[in-house]
Amino acid sequence: MISLGHFLTVGAVLFGLGLVGFLTRRNFITMFLCAEMMLQGVVLNLVAFSRYHGNLSGQVLGLFIITVAACEAGLALALFLTLYRRGRSLDSGAWQSIREIGVQPTIDVEPLMKTVPSPDYPRLPVAGRLPVAAEETARV
Amino acid sequence: MSDPTNLALLALGLPLLATILAAVMGTCSTLAKWAHLPVVTAFAGSAILALLVLSKVMQATGSEVAFLSTAQTWFHAGNLQVDFQITVDPLSALMLMTVTFVGTWIAVFSVGYMHDDPGYARYFSLMALFVFSMCLLILASDLLLLVAGWEGVGLCSYLLIGYYYAKPSAAAAARKAFLVTRLGDVGMILGIFLFWQAGGYHTNFDKLFAHITANPPDSVTLTTACLLLFCGAIGKSAQFPLYVWLPDAMEGPTPVSALIHAATMVTAGVYLLARAMPLFVLSPDAQIVVALIGGFTAILSAFIALAQHDLKRVLAYSTVSQLGYMFMALGAGGPVSANLVVTAAIFHVFTHAFFKALLFLSSGSVMHAMGNVIDMRKFGGLRTLMPVTHITFLCGAAALAGFPLLSGFWSKDLIIDMVYQASEHGGSHATLYGLVFLTALVTAFLTAFYTFRAYFLTFWGELRTPPEAGHHAQESPLGLLAPLIVLAFGAVLAGITVEPFAHGFSNLLVKAPSVVLANSVLHVEAEATHPHFDFALAGISTLLALSGMALAWWHYRTGIETVPAALKSVYRLSENKLYVDEIFNGMFVKPAEWLAVLSRLCDGLLDGVARVVSFIPRLIGALLKPLQNGLVQFYALGMVLGLAVFLTVVVVRTSQ
Amino acid sequence: MPDPAQIPSQAIAYQLIGAGLLAAVGFLFLLPRPRHRQLLVGTFLGVSALGLLVAFLVTRFGSATADWVSTILFWFFAAGAVGFGTVLVVQRNPARGAIAFAFVVLSTCGLFLILAAPFLMATTIIVYAGAIIVTFLFVLMLSHVSGPADENDRSREPLLGGLAGFGFAGLVLFALHQSLPPASANTTVATPGLPLAPLTVVERSALLDAATHLAEAESANREQLLSTEFSQSTRERLESVVGGMTAPRGTVSLQQRLTLAQAEPRTATEIQQAAALKKQIQTTFDTVETALIDANPPDEARAKQALRELREQVVILAGTGGLPARNVSTLGLAIYSEHLLGVEMAGMLLLVATIGAVAIAHRRGDAT
C-alpha cells in the first residue's frame, strides 16, 4: 500500500524543483513551465488528500487549479509576446528598470561561448561516388 | 426713505455696485473705456445722498442725534457678538459728506488724467472700492465692522499705490505702505481686544462707551488700550514713527494720492480717535501722548518738506504735518472740552480735504503737462504756460499756509487755540501742552515757507520745461481743470462759510453721541459750544504765516533753488529726510537682519540634528538599496528565503 | 523494516539536509552557465540526492510489499515526474524543456490514476499537454533564437536559488515527517471483523443496485411507490449494507476503533456517512408514506424529491468507496452542488483572463 506520505513527498519535490527552476532560469517560457510544475505538485498533494479523506473536495480544488493555470497561461502568453515585441528577447534579466534609483544595472560579465559556425565551403563530391545528400540538422 | 440710515446705506451701496460694474466692464475691451461712468455716477449719487443725510441730521432736534440702522448679526461666537449696523450721527454724516464730495471731484479729474491707460477699468473699480471701504469705516457702529472698512482701505491703498505694478519702485512702495500700516493695525486689534475684555464684551461703540464710562477699568489698562488703539491711527494716519509709507505712496497715480491724502485713508485715524473720544478723555496720559506725537510729527515732517525737490513729496510731507495738527487738537481733549477739540480736528479734516485735494490735483495737472516729470528742478515759471492751474494751486497753497480768511487759516487757528487752552488748563501736563503749542506755531511758519517755496519754484521765474513734456507742455484740458476750479472755490470759501461765523460744525458735532458722552465724562456743560475767536493768537499765526510766505518770496521768487552756505548742512539734513529712513534701517532693519542670520544659524543647527537623525534610516536604506536591483527573480528569491526562515522557525518550535 | 517509533528525528533531518545540499550543489553544476558546466558531476550529485530522498521515504513511510502493482507504478511515475522535472529545470533549450514538462505532466497523471482520479488525469493531459505546451511551443517558434543566448545559457544565482528551493522542499518534508502519523499503523493494526476497506466490492454493488432501484422511482406512480415490494426491498438492500457497517462486526474495543479512525480517516468518514445514511433511510421512507397516504391530495412530487435526495447520498457513499467507478458523475455532483459558487467564480476568472489576454496581446498601431 502506498501511503499518503509518499505522494506528499513527490508533490513537495516537484514543488521544490519548480521553485529552483523559477528562481534560476531566465527564459520566460522555462520560468512559466517551472511555475506550472509547482502547481502540479500542489494538485498532486490535493488529490492525495482527497483519496486519503475519501471525499472529492481535493479533486474539485485540483480542477479549479487547472482552471486558474489555464487563465495564467493565457495571460502569461500575452505578456510574453508584448515583452518580446518590445525587447526582442525572452530574457527576464533584460527587464530591470524597476530597480532603485542609483543602483547599477546587473550586467552579465562572463562572455557567452560563441559557437563560430564553420564557413560553408562548397565541397566537391569525390569523383566516381554517389554524393550523400546533406541532412538538415533540425533543432527541436 | 425718510430715515437717514436708509439713505446712508444707499450711499454705502452705490460705490460697491460701481466696483462690481466697473470690474465687469473691464473684462470687455470695448466697455472698459466707459468704466468711469458707473463710478463717477455712484460717487456723485453718494455725495448727494450724503448731503441729504447731513440735512436730515441738521434738522434733527435734541441734545443728542444718532440714527441706527436695524442690527443684523454679522458673526457671533461665545461672548463675541458683532452686528452689521450703521450709525448716522453728526460726526459720521460730516465725514461721509467730505469723503464723497471730494471723492467725486477726484473721480472726475481721473477721467481726464487716466485716459488711455491700459488698466482703466481696474483703476476705477479700485477707486470705488476704496471709497466704499472708507464709507463703511465711517458708518460702522461696531469696532470690528470699522476694522473691516479699515482693512479694506488698507487693501485698496496697497492695490492703488502699486497700480503700476510693473514698476519695481511702485511695487515696493505698495508693499511698504501695506506692511507699515499693518504694524499699526496689530496694535489696534490688540487694543480692540483689550477694550472688548474691559468693556463688558461689547464691540459696539455705544455699548462699549457706556460700559467703560460707567465702570472705568484701572488707568493702566485704559491707557494701554487707548495707546494700542492709537497705534492703529498712527499707522493709518501716518504719524511718527510710522509716517514713512506716505511719501512713498506717491508712486501711485496722482489722483490716488489726492484720494489717500485728502479724503479716504489718512483721515481714518483722526476719525477713529474722534469716535473714541469718550475712551481717550478718561486717560489724560494717553491724550498727552497723542498730542506730543502729533506735534512732533508736524514739525518733523514740516522740516523734511523744506528741501524736497519732488513737488508731490512736498505735498505728502505737508499732509503728514497737517495730520499732526489734527492729532494735536484731539490730544488736547480733556483739558479742553471734547466738543471743541473734535470740532477743531474734524473741521481741519474738512478744510484740509479741499485744499489738499486741490493741491494734489493741481500738481497732477502740472505733471500731466510736464510729461510725468515732477522734479521741481526741471521745470519752472509755469504761470504763463498754465494760468488756471497756477491760480488754483495758489489758492490751495495759500489755504495750506494759513493765509488769513482762507479755509486753512480758520481751522489751523482753531487747533492752535485748542492747544493753547490745553496748555493753560492742562494740569500736570500743562508744560508739555505748552511745548506742543510752540511746536504748532513753529510748524505754521515752516508750513507757509515750504508751501510757497514749492509754489515759487514751480510757477515763477523763467519758463523751463523738461524734454519729456514735448507737445503736452500746455494748459490741461477742461476735464482736468473743472475739478480744480470747484475745489479751489472750496479751498477758499469752505472755511469761512461753515464755521467761524455760522458755527455749522460746532453746533452739529456737539450733538454727536460720542462727543456728548465724552463731555459728560469731563463734567463739561454744553455752554462752551462755540469756540471763541482769539484775536491775539490769530494775529500771531497770521504773522508767522505771512513771514514764512515773505521769506519764500524773497528767496525763491526767481524760481531757482539756491542754498546759502550757512544753511547747507541744515538743507542737507532736510533733503535727506533727517536720515529717518537710514536710522530706521539701522535701528530695525539691520537688527532684524542680524536676527535673521542668527535664526538661520539656529535653523542650520536644528537641521543638522535632523539630518543626523535622518541619516540613520538613510544609511540603512543605502545598505539595503542594492537589493532593489530590478530583477524580479531576485525578489522572488528573497520571498522564498523569507518563507524558508519562517518555516524553519515553525518546524523547530513544533519539534521541541 | 525499522519501527517508525524508533526513528529519531535527527536521522531524518540529516537525511533531508544531505539530500537538499547534494541537490543544490548538483544543480549548481547542472544549471546552464557559459562555461564549466559539468553535467556528469551534477548528474552524480543529483542521483545521490535522489537516493537519499528514497531512503527517507522508505525509512519514514515504509515500503509496502503487499500491493506490488501499485507500488511499482508509484515508483515508476514518481521517478518519471522528478526526473523529467529535473530535465525541465536544467535543460538549456526551452523547447526540449517543454517536452520534458509534458512528460512531467504525464507522470503526474499516472500518479493521479493511482490516486483514483481519472477525470483529473484526463483534464490535466488535455489542458496541459494539449493546450498549454502546444501554445508555448508556438511562442518559442515565433521567438526562436539560434546559438547561445542570455536567457538560455545563463542562470540567475544558481547556488542561492538551489539552496532556497531545495531548502524549502526539505523543510516541507521535515514538517511532513513531524505531522504524519507513523505509516505502519494501518498495516499492523488489522482487527479481525472490522472491514479494512469499509466498503467491499459486494457492498458497493449492492449500494449501486439500490441506487438504480431508487432511480426507477422517478417514473413510478403512487401505487408502485407504496407497494411493499418497492419500499421493503430497497430498505432491506440498503440497510444490509449500512447496518452492517455501522454495527461493529464482532467485538472491537473502543481503543481499537479510535486507532482505526485515526489511522484511516477514510474509514471513519465512511462510517459516519453510513450512519447518516441509515438515519436518512428511515426519515425518507417515513416522508414518502406521509406524503402519499396521509396527505390529501397525495403529494407525489415531495415523495419523489425525498427519494431523489436519498439516492444522491447512496451514490456518493458508493462512489467514494470505489472512486474510479463513478468518478466523473460523483465529481460532477460535488462540483455542481457543494462547490457551485467556486465553479461560477472560476468561470468568471476564465472570461476575464480571456479578455485580458486579448487586450494585452493586441498590437496597438506600430508598437514595435
Side-chain angles (χ1 to χ4, degrees), chain B residues 372-409:
Chain B
N372 285 333
V373 171
I374 200 64
D375 192 332
M376 288 186 289
R377 286 170 298 189
K378 292 189 179 166
F379 52 74
L382 297 181
R383 71 179 187 281
T384 48
L385 189 71
M386 311 175 72
V388 180
T389 308
H390 165 237
I391 295 297
T392 54
F393 192 92
L394 181 60
C395 289
L400 173 60
F403 191 78
L405 305 183
L406 297 188
S407 60
F409 167 75

Side-chain angles (χ1 to χ4, degrees), chain C residues 208-218 229-230 233-234 237 311:
Chain C
L208 288 173
D209 272 357
T212 324
H213 219 78
L214 281 169
E216 284 166 5
E218 282 293 313
E229 193 260 329
F230 170 73
S233 63
T234 318
R237 255 184 245 204
R311 180 176 170 271

Side-chain angles (χ1 to χ4, degrees), chain B residues 393-513:
Chain B
F393 192 92
L394 181 60
C395 289
L400 173 60
F403 191 78
L405 305 183
L406 297 188
S407 60
F409 167 75
W410 300 106
S411 56
K412 197 182 287 178
D413 193 59
L414 198 53
I415 289 174
I416 291 172
D417 190 18
M418 290 304 122
V419 180
Y420 176 67
Q421 283 187 34
S423 69
E424 282 189 338
H425 310 292
S428 57
H429 296 310
T431 335
L432 290 172
Y433 276 117
L435 199 63
V436 173
F437 170 65
L438 284 181
T439 310
L441 288 181
V442 174
T443 309
F445 169 74
L446 289 177
T447 307
F449 178 73
Y450 69 70
T451 312
F452 275 86
R453 168 184 171 263
Y455 165 71
F456 285 122
L457 283 180
T458 309
F459 292 101
W460 283 63
E462 291 277 309
L463 177 64
R464 281 177 295 132
T465 54
E468 290 91 336
H471 67 282
H472 272 294
Q474 55 192 0
E475 183 57 281
S476 302
L478 190 64
L480 297 186
L481 292 180
L484 295 185
I485 294 163
V486 172
L487 288 172
F489 275 104
V492 173
L493 300 174
I496 195 162
T497 51
V498 176
E499 176 59 23
F501 306 111
H503 296 300
F505 269 68
S506 45
N507 276 341
L508 206 54
L509 284 172
V510 78
K511 295 187 210 165

Side-chain angles (χ1 to χ4, degrees), chain A residues 19 22-23 25 31 92-93 95-96 98-101 103 106, chain B residues 625-638 640:
Chain A
L19 199 54
F22 187 80
L23 292 182
R25 297 305 307 272
M31 281 169 73
S92 73
W95 307 95
Q96 35 180 305
I98 60 164
R99 68 178 178 279
E100 188 76 13
I101 296 165
V103 176
T106 314
Chain B
K625 203 168 153 186
L627 290 180
Q628 295 282 335
N629 57 7
L631 292 167
V632 185
Q633 279 178 307
F634 196 79
Y635 298 170
L637 182 66
V640 172

Side-chain angles (χ1 to χ4, degrees), chain A residues 1 24-25 27 36 77 110, chain C residues 64 91 128 139 154 156:
Chain A
M1 188 66 201
T24 54
R25 297 305 307 272
N27 192 318
E36 293 293 326
L77 187 68
E110 211 175 353
Chain C
Q91 178 56 250
Y128 275 102
V139 175
R154 291 185 197 281
R156 176 81 54 206

